[in-house]
Amino acid sequence: MLFRRSCKNVTRELKNLSVIVENLYQQKFFSDEEFSEINAERNDFDKTRKILDSVTEKGEAACYKFLKIIDMTRELTLGRLSLLPEKNSAASSETQKFDLYHWISCFPFKEDTEMDTNYLQEKKPDLSYTSLMRTYIPEDRSEMSPSKLLELNEDILLVGEPGIGKTALCHELLKLWAERNSKKLDYMFYFDMRETSHITKDMSLEHLLFSVFSEPDECKEEVLDDIKKYSDNVTIIFDGVTDLSSSVVQRIVKSDLRYAKVIVTCRPDDEILFPEGFLRVEMKGFSEQSVRTYIAETLGEEQGNVLRNVELLTLCHVPMYALMVAACFSSQTPEDSPQPNSITEIYINIVHFCLQINSNKTKKKNLNSFISNKSEELLSLAEAAFHATEGKTVNLRDFQCEDSCVLSFLKTLDNKVGPTKTVTTCAFLHYTMQEFFAALWLLKNPDKIKDVFQQCLTEEKKHMKHLIPFMCRLLTEESPSLMKCLIPDQQLKKTSEWFLEEMINTFSPHLYKLS
């Protein structure tokens, strides 16, 4: 058999075996046991030999699929194509090295509708969040995809949990719109509603488009008139809908731009703001197969530490958390403490990391002392986070700080408030990081916790419930060292004595009565 005779050359030439192994596993070539045995091999040569033996034993059809996978992923699995012949110094003559590129290309591969070609053609892994979303959540032809969302002539409501990838999907829609081949004049506007606090209910369409978004260099009146007249050529994305932004959408867009396509994103708690007229699309995040693929690509031999951990595997269905988990394990050193098993622990690691790299490389053994010295600044940031979260905004309007360690958690927002005036404010890198710091402040001020519990029961403040999981983990008996540096042990212990009972009594009083 041609495949068997060429195995020696294939064994020598293949690169990035994890790509091949994961693809074969996804195509149901390997059982879980075979998959584990291959990954357990000591080196690449033994691993390749194990793959080839297994594929060969499964017959000609399996070999064909195996070769097609190599062909589809050749940029990763065959290395760089050499344009020059290799010299054989022993024979003093020029001989052609075995060309695996050419050998693979000689096979007349046919289009296989059962094979997920979007998945197979993935690029070299990139830890950036948008790239993660684009690469590891392939377009399923039976379900909704970014390109289909863009083509639909309907208003769309994208619903998803924090970190599930709503903003990344919006950025992908912008990219697809910008790169499409179209001669039609149309418009797309994108608004991050969490960062545009100066949007008000009485704002005009002209102000929204040309002051908040971008003003044309010339012919502003003509452009606005064209937008209104041909509103069916307008797409507007409102990312991060709140009760205020929902009224902006309803009043400005649907009255002044009746035929415009509107795409809004929100958490499940806020979807009630748009009860009718929108096509609801729920973002589910990573499937188990996508998690395995991403973790294998980013961690290689370390993937088993995540895939065998149920807590981490569960976290990783949220793309942002999968990115964080991969980052934690890829930067692991022998002296590191055990890896995190919850999102709270991941954020604690991020806090430690940011403080260390922005503190003139303070050594890890001295980091707790450094955090204690910075407790006033960090708790000031936590207070600003709490008030911003309570107000359902990411703008830390009144927060003033010049400390580089504190600023490492923030980004700046430039808000245009007039033709020549811009106000600069700060915001956390992600809303969930803001919620983490808000939870820290609550534990520093435990007399406010019961009030927050009651707020969670109201429609206006129900979003405050996202602080509770952070507080639960921060109050466990194995209290993270970060907490001990910011809040006295005795205070944390007193809070933990009544916290759980009060929480159950507030949200599940029937359980409290049973106990």
Side-chain angles (χ1 to χ4, degrees):
M1 182 182 177
L2 178 61
F3 179 85
R4 189 181 296 276
R5 292 199 304 268
S6 302
C7 278
K8 181 179 179 180
N9 291 312
V10 174
T11 303
R12 185 177 65 247
E13 296 295 325
L14 285 181
K15 314 289 184 184
N16 290 322
L17 297 178
S18 62
V19 174
I20 300 171
V21 174
E22 272 301 317
N23 274 275
L24 289 170
Y25 181 71
Q26 304 298 343
Q27 296 294 327
K28 311 293 184 185
F29 279 89
F30 298 139
S31 64
D32 290 343
E33 182 179 355
E34 288 176 305
F35 181 75
S36 299
E37 288 176 356
I38 290 172
N39 285 320
E41 292 295 337
R42 294 173 298 175
N43 53 56
D44 285 351
F45 182 89
D46 291 340
K47 188 177 292 187
T48 306
R49 175 57 59 187
K50 187 81 173 178
I51 295 170
L52 294 175
D53 289 344
S54 180
V55 171
T56 303
E57 289 173 3
K58 296 178 188 296
E60 186 173 347
C63 295
Y64 174 87
K65 290 282 190 180
F66 170 70
L67 293 174
K68 184 167 184 178
I69 286 174
I70 296 176
D71 180 62
M72 300 295 289
T73 61
R74 55 186 174 273
E75 290 184 5
L76 287 173
T77 56
L78 298 184
R80 191 180 298 272
L81 178 61
S82 176
L83 300 178
L84 297 175
E86 181 174 321
K87 290 186 177 180
N88 187 332
S89 56
S92 300
S93 62
E94 202 169 64
T95 60
Q96 186 71 33
K97 181 181 178 181
F98 176 76
D99 189 347
L100 191 52
Y101 263 98
H102 175 73
W103 187 74
I104 291 289
S105 67
C106 290
F107 287 84
F109 296 117
K110 300 177 183 178
E111 182 65 24
D112 187 350
T113 57
E114 295 180 357
M115 185 170 286
D116 190 347
T117 55
N118 281 325
Y119 167 65
L120 293 171
Q121 291 173 335
E122 62 198 28
K123 303 290 185 183
K124 188 174 181 180
D126 183 346
L127 278 178
S128 68
Y129 187 39
T130 301
S131 175
L132 178 156
M133 290 291 297
R134 186 180 305 130
T135 305
Y136 296 97
I137 304 185
E139 291 190 358
D140 188 331
R141 293 168 178 80
S142 64
E143 298 181 3
M144 198 63 70
S145 67
S147 57
K148 287 183 181 178
L149 287 175
L150 205 57
E151 293 168 3
L152 284 174
N153 189 27
E154 295 185 67
D155 294 332
I156 298 169
L157 179 63
L158 291 173
V159 182
E161 296 290 345
I164 208 73
K166 299 183 294 294
T167 296
L169 177 56
C170 289
H171 293 172
E172 179 69 6
L173 292 174
L174 289 169
K175 178 177 179 292
L176 290 172
W177 178 83
E179 293 179 349
R180 78 202 190 294
N181 185 17
S182 175
K183 296 180 180 180
K184 181 178 72 172
L185 176 62
D186 58 1
Y187 305 87
M188 176 172 274
F189 299 90
Y190 171 81
F191 299 95
D192 189 332
M193 301 307 290
R194 294 153 300 193
E195 298 183 3
T196 50
S197 61
H198 50 296
I199 291 180
T200 59
K201 293 182 180 180
D202 58 351
M203 181 176 289
S204 67
L205 176 66
E206 179 180 349
H207 191 184
L208 176 69
L209 299 184
F210 296 157
S211 294
V212 178
F213 190 78
S214 178
E215 184 173 345
D217 294 331
E218 56 186 21
C219 305
K220 181 171 71 174
E221 291 76 12
E222 288 85 347
V223 172
L224 182 61
D225 183 64
D226 189 70
I227 289 173
K228 289 182 176 180
K229 188 175 181 180
Y230 301 102
S231 61
D232 56 323
N233 293 331
V234 177
T235 300
I236 304 182
I237 300 176
F238 292 98
D239 185 17
V241 165
T242 63
D243 49 359
L244 169 61
S245 56
S246 68
S247 64
V248 173
V249 173
Q250 302 284 10
R251 189 187 64 79
I252 295 181
V253 177
K254 302 321 287 183
S255 61
D256 294 340
L257 299 176
R258 292 182 59 193
Y259 302 107
K261 175 178 179 177
V262 178
I263 301 174
V264 297
T265 75
C266 69
R267 291 181 174 186
D269 290 344
D270 293 319
E271 67 175 296
I272 194 174
L273 299 172
F274 295 87
E276 297 178 358
F278 282 78
L279 173 65
R280 183 184 185 277
V281 177
E282 183 175 1
M283 298 191 65
K284 295 290 190 180
F286 280 168
S287 65
E288 183 176 350
Q289 288 185 346
S290 294
V291 170
R292 288 183 176 275
T293 302
Y294 177 68
I295 295 300
E297 281 295 297
T298 53
L299 296 183
E301 295 180 358
E302 297 294 325
Q303 61 181 290
N305 295 328
V306 175
L307 299 180
R308 289 191 297 268
N309 188 311
V310 176
E311 290 89 349
L312 289 179
L313 202 59
T314 303
L315 272 181
C316 286
H317 91 279
V318 177
M320 185 180 74
Y321 297 159
L323 174 67
M324 291 178 173
V325 169
C328 285
F329 277 85
S330 62
S331 61
Q332 184 181 19
T333 58
E335 65 271 17
D336 281 339
S337 57
Q339 289 297 329
N341 289 325
S342 70
I343 189 59
T344 306
E345 293 172 64
I346 289 176
Y347 276 130
I348 291 171
N349 280 9
I350 291 174
V351 170
H352 282 152
F353 180 75
C354 289
L355 291 175
Q356 186 178 18
I357 64 174
N358 287 281
S359 62
N360 297 321
K361 301 291 180 70
T362 298
K363 292 183 179 179
K364 289 187 177 180
K365 64 179 181 180
N366 300 323
L367 189 57
N368 285 346
S369 176
F370 178 80
I371 294 174
S372 296
N373 292 334
K374 290 286 181 182
S375 62
E376 183 177 347
E377 291 88 346
L378 291 171
L379 290 172
S380 176
L381 175 64
E383 181 178 9
F386 175 80
H387 291 306
T389 303
E390 193 175 35
K392 218 171 187 180
T393 179
V394 299
N395 280 276
L396 309 182
R397 296 185 187 89
D398 301 322
F399 181 70
Q400 300 292 330
C401 182
E402 296 182 0
D403 190 296
S404 61
C405 292
V406 173
L407 293 176
S408 65
F409 301 106
L410 306 175
K411 60 183 176 181
T412 57
L413 303 175
D414 294 325
N415 297 323
K416 189 176 181 181
V417 295
T420 60
K421 185 178 180 182
T422 300
V423 175
T424 300
T425 59
C426 293
F428 280 90
L429 299 176
H430 195 270
Y431 193 52
T432 51
M433 175 63 85
Q434 176 178 306
E435 291 171 331
F436 169 81
F437 270 91
L440 276 180
W441 186 81
L442 270 180
L443 293 178
K444 178 65 177 177
N445 299 271
D447 56 306
K448 305 288 186 183
I449 293 177
K450 294 181 182 180
D451 292 337
V452 170
F453 283 169
Q454 293 302 317
Q455 286 180 347
C456 296
L457 300 176
T458 67
E459 190 64 33
E460 183 183 2
K461 300 286 187 181
K462 63 183 180 182
H463 63 278
M464 298 295 286
K465 68 183 182 182
H466 295 290
L467 276 57
I468 296 175
F470 289 121
M471 289 191 287
C472 289
R473 174 62 187 92
L474 292 170
L475 280 174
T476 57
E477 290 186 6
E478 296 180 1
S479 185
S481 60
L482 173 66
M483 297 301 297
K484 297 176 182 178
C485 297
L486 299 176
I487 304 172
D489 274 346
Q490 195 61 32
Q491 180 178 329
L492 287 174
K493 185 176 180 180
K494 285 183 178 180
T495 302
S496 63
E497 288 174 354
W498 57 262
F499 180 89
L500 185 59
E501 181 178 317
E502 184 68 28
M503 183 179 68
I504 294 174
N505 191 34
T506 302
F507 299 107
S508 300
H510 60 286
L511 294 178
Y512 180 72
K513 290 177 182 179
L514 289 175
S515 62

